[in-house]
Amino acid sequence: MSIGILGGGQLGYMLALAGYPLGLRFRFLDPSPEAPVGRIAPRVTGDFTDRAALEKFAHGLEVVTYEFENVPVDTVHFLAKKVSVFPPPRALETAQDRLREKELFEKLGIATTEFASVPVAYDLDSTVKKVGLPAVLKTRRMGYDGKGQWVLRTAEDVKIAKDGLPKQPFTVERFVPFTRELSVIAVRGKAGETAFYPLVENHHRNGILRLSLAPAPGVAPEIQKAAEDAARQVLEALNYVGVLAIEFFECDGKLLANEMAPRVHNSGHWTIEGAVTSQFENHLRAICGLPLGSTTAIGASAMINLIGEVPESVQVLAIPSAHLHLYGKEPRPGRKLGHVTLRAASFEQLTSRFLSLPGFFQRPDFCLDGTGRKSKSPGA
Ligand code: AMP
């Protein structure tokens, strides 16, 4: 079966690596001639809006998916006339707009952060009053890894933001004093069957994911159920096929949905070694109409993102149960270059393994304090 993937970054790279053992073939479309998938799969280099490139890309494919959430929706509609596209274009449209995403959560009765819309040139003060301070101002579109968002703590912050606001729509959300951030990776097949991985605990720094612990320690069964119920509702409402991630804040023992990603997700990378079937394989199984694989975790895993720089491979490979993934990208500050998954039989063993990590992993910017957990500083 030939699968086309829009976007040639690390998510596409790991999708192809998971699909080759299943006998699947891949072709990518990416605007950059340096896209990481160039090493492992044929690729069309062209803009997502270039109709000739899209025709060339789509020729002979049986299914198209995307690994990049900001693919123009028109591109996906154009391709959907020629070949099946999963997840459905409506999921992409919803996830690209924070307001629509939040409205979907609200419509489905999924608890979310209190929010309000700030249309272009709207008076920010009155919107902020609706949700109260502190608040988080976010661009409705093209925000990722903490980009396009500002924490507003005082009236002065509101004034500064207002004066500097570019002419584009925003949302304002109530700042949530969460205890921790959790995410669920869910998958839905073509016949409507669903499966869910155990909740993952995520630690961010400057809006970028640094560390995921899976299964998240100390999750009450009703919290896991609430996450699965929320994900199932979204999957069904969108008639979704493929992997979907939803990020939550855990606050006062309850979950508040923050955002969703209609694709495989960074907080699911641990599933490559830490679950019976990886999120990448399950995404492919779903979009190809194959049976879904087990989402059961094998022991406990920690996934550490390598951001801006990578350690010596020899250092990582000397760590028992560490798995190194390098994406073949040029180092640049703030860039996700790879990840390391550390596995153990139990969370206690995982915790003690952290203590023996070499110096590279002990830096404060990896948020590791020797226990795999970090002190909370929401939004930091
Ligand atoms: P997002 O792009 O919405 O995932 O936000 C990036 C990170 O900013 C989140 O993972 C949180 O750490 C933080 N953040 C976003 N929204 C809020 C909020 N309403 N309250 C507190 N922290 C937030």
Side-chain angles (χ1 to χ4, degrees):
M1 201 162 181
S2 291
I3 299 173
I5 302 185
L6 296 164
Q10 63 268 19
L11 300 178
Y13 180 77
M14 289 183 273
L15 278 167
L17 291 180
Y20 287 134
L22 305 183
L24 304 173
R25 290 185 301 278
F26 296 90
R27 184 185 305 148
F28 285 84
L29 175 70
D30 195 279
S32 166
E34 273 141 42
V37 292
R39 296 197 285 170
I40 59 158
R43 145 193 68 135
V44 175
T45 300
D47 202 86
F48 292 123
T49 54
D50 176 346
R51 293 284 156 108
L54 290 175
E55 296 278 2
K56 193 171 159 197
F57 165 73
H59 184 75
L61 294 177
E62 277 141 288
V63 57
V64 164
T65 189
Y66 42 88
E67 61 106 58
F68 173 63
E69 178 173 334
N70 287 319
V71 172
V73 172
D74 283 352
T75 299
V76 175
H77 283 304
F78 177 78
L79 289 168
K81 290 191 197 120
K82 301 170 187 299
V83 51
S84 305
V85 179
F86 299 117
R90 194 151 74 91
L92 188 69
E93 269 173 84
T94 309
Q96 282 181 358
D97 182 342
R98 285 189 191 274
L99 185 64
R100 288 185 65 167
E101 192 174 74
K102 288 266 194 282
E103 285 172 346
L104 177 68
F105 291 149
E106 209 171 43
K107 190 176 124 207
L108 297 174
I110 298 168
T112 184
T113 46
E114 222 178 299
F115 68 96
S117 160
V118 189
V120 191
Y122 192 80
D123 183 354
L124 183 62
D125 303 279
S126 62
T127 314
V128 167
K129 270 193 196 111
K130 281 192 212 158
V131 298
L133 286 175
V136 188
L137 178 68
K138 299 181 179 182
T139 54
R140 268 177 67 174
R141 294 183 164 274
M142 303 300 277
Y144 63 96
D145 282 350
K147 293 190 177 77
Q149 62 174 265
W150 300 267
V151 177
L152 308 174
R153 293 182 192 280
T154 62
E156 181 62 18
D157 290 343
V158 178
K159 187 178 176 315
I160 293 168
K162 200 168 123 184
D163 294 345
L165 272 189
K167 294 260 171 295
Q168 66 184 94
F170 290 85
T171 58
V172 173
E173 283 170 27
R174 178 86 185 155
F175 186 96
V176 180
F178 55 78
T179 3
R180 61 176 170 172
E181 295 187 73
L182 298 168
S183 61
V184 71
I185 310 288
V187 59
R188 185 170 184 267
K190 280 189 180 169
E193 70 279 28
T194 51
F196 306 89
Y197 290 90
L199 275 162
V200 182
E201 178 179 310
N202 300 313
H203 297 266
H204 295 82
R205 187 113 174 154
N206 299 326
I208 306 180
L209 181 68
R210 290 282 159 159
L211 171 74
S212 290
L213 298 173
V219 169
E222 56 273 21
I223 291 284
Q224 177 71 31
K225 184 177 178 307
E228 291 185 12
D229 287 348
R232 191 180 294 104
Q233 296 229 63
V234 173
L235 291 171
E236 280 167 12
L238 296 171
N239 198 17
Y240 199 94
V241 175
V243 162
L244 169 88
I246 304 187
E247 295 181 60
F248 298 95
F249 299 130
E250 191 179 37
C251 196
D252 298 329
K254 296 211 168 64
L255 292 181
L256 289 177
N258 175 34
E259 62 174 359
M260 66 183 213
R263 52 168 171 78
V264 286
H265 195 253
N266 196 170
S267 69
H269 290 3
W270 64 275
T271 60
I272 297 175
E273 294 90 7
V276 174
T277 316
S278 78
Q279 62 161 349
F280 301 100
E281 183 175 331
N282 257 336
H283 182 73
L284 297 170
R285 287 181 182 223
I287 66 170
C288 294
L290 298 166
L292 300 182
S294 164
T295 48
T296 304
I298 309 165
S301 301
M303 191 285 311
I304 301 159
N305 266 342
L306 302 174
I307 296 171
E309 55 180 339
V310 293
E312 292 287 332
S313 295
V314 67
Q315 260 198 338
V316 177
L317 299 175
I319 305 166
S321 307
H323 299 269
L324 177 63
H325 297 257
L326 297 175
Y327 309 146
K329 289 155 88 177
E330 279 304 308
R332 223 188 278 153
R335 202 172 198 202
K336 290 176 182 169
L337 303 174
H339 73 267
V340 173
T341 299
L342 194 63
R343 288 223 25 243
S346 64
F347 190 70
E348 289 65 38
Q349 196 183 64
L350 188 68
T351 305
S352 74
R353 287 216 168 137
F354 261 114
L355 293 169
S356 58
L357 289 179
F360 183 89
F361 295 97
Q362 301 298 346
R363 302 173 198 193
D365 64 336
F366 277 108
C367 309
L368 303 181
D369 63 2
T371 63
R373 313 197 65 154
K374 74 171 180 101
S375 56
K376 289 286 158 289
S377 72

